[in-house]
Amino acid sequence: LAYAQMQPGYAPPFGVYEWFGVNAPTDLITTPVTVAPSAVPPAQGAPLTPPLALGNTLTFLGYRPESDKDKAGQTLIVQTAWQVNELPTQPLSLMAHLLNAEGVPVAVGDGLGVPLDQWCAGQIIIQRHTLALPPETPAGTYWIQTGAYTFPDLQRLPILRDRATVGDRILMGTIEISAP
């Protein structure tokens, strides 16, 4: 089964793919990530180990780099894995941003690969994020963050630990970007 909706509208462009007889991914990186509010620099978060709850809607299970491109002007691809806990009450998007040390986005790969009307509680969603690195990106260390936000208000889902909000973004680690 494959379907692609390329016209943006109420939901971001998406593609749907279904594989039968495939279990949940077992090669996800689930080592501790950094969780922080978006108002603080990336390095000032708390280390937490997935799975991590995003409100009542999703659980972040882990991530997997799909490519090892690490030069300015190239494309970085990362997959994030999510479990649906309950259906969201409004449209949302899964984000992936490449951030500089101050937390300013350098590349953005937001989207939603599975439309909300196809979601069922208990499903696992793998989102493929494509981040085009601008050619003028200076060499250095960058953070890769993920999370979810709602439309049209662009409010990020809170990341919960013991029912308390600990941040609104998950920093999956750093990557060294070299000159083109």
Side-chain angles (χ1 to χ4, degrees):
L1 168 71
Y3 172 80
Q5 186 282 105
M6 303 309 292
Q7 297 297 319
Y10 196 54
F14 61 86
V16 176
Y17 306 94
E18 184 174 358
W19 292 271
F20 294 98
V22 176
N23 295 323
T26 57
D27 59 344
L28 295 173
I29 297 173
T30 58
T31 55
V33 294
T34 302
V35 176
S38 54
V40 301
Q44 294 182 5
L48 294 175
T49 303
L52 299 169
L54 277 77
N56 295 324
T57 306
L58 293 169
T59 297
F60 174 75
L61 301 175
Y63 66 99
R64 171 181 38 219
E66 190 175 303
S67 62
D68 58 1
K69 305 289 188 205
D70 58 357
K71 291 185 179 182
Q74 294 184 337
T75 301
L76 176 67
I77 298 173
V78 64
Q79 296 176 10
T80 53
W82 310 86
Q83 183 163 8
V84 177
N85 299 325
E86 66 181 40
L87 299 181
T89 57
Q90 65 188 94
L92 61 81
S93 183
L94 300 173
M95 67 178 185
H97 301 161
L98 185 70
L99 309 174
N100 65 17
E102 292 78 37
V104 176
V106 174
V108 174
D110 296 2
L112 186 60
V114 180
L116 296 177
D117 64 354
Q118 301 295 313
W119 286 22
C120 293
Q123 284 182 327
I124 294 175
I125 295 171
I126 306 296
Q127 177 67 40
R128 186 174 188 255
H129 304 276
T130 302
L131 299 128
L133 306 178
E136 65 276 5
T137 303
T141 303
Y142 292 83
W143 289 86
I144 302 174
Q145 80 174 2
T146 193
Y149 58 90
T150 57
F151 288 122
D153 58 8
L154 303 180
Q155 292 296 309
R156 292 186 182 181
L157 297 182
I159 298 158
L160 306 175
R161 186 58 140 206
D162 299 324
R163 298 187 178 148
T165 299
V166 293
D168 62 1
R169 65 179 173 174
I170 299 165
L171 297 143
M172 299 179 284
T174 60
I175 185 170
E176 292 296 321
I177 303 295
S178 59

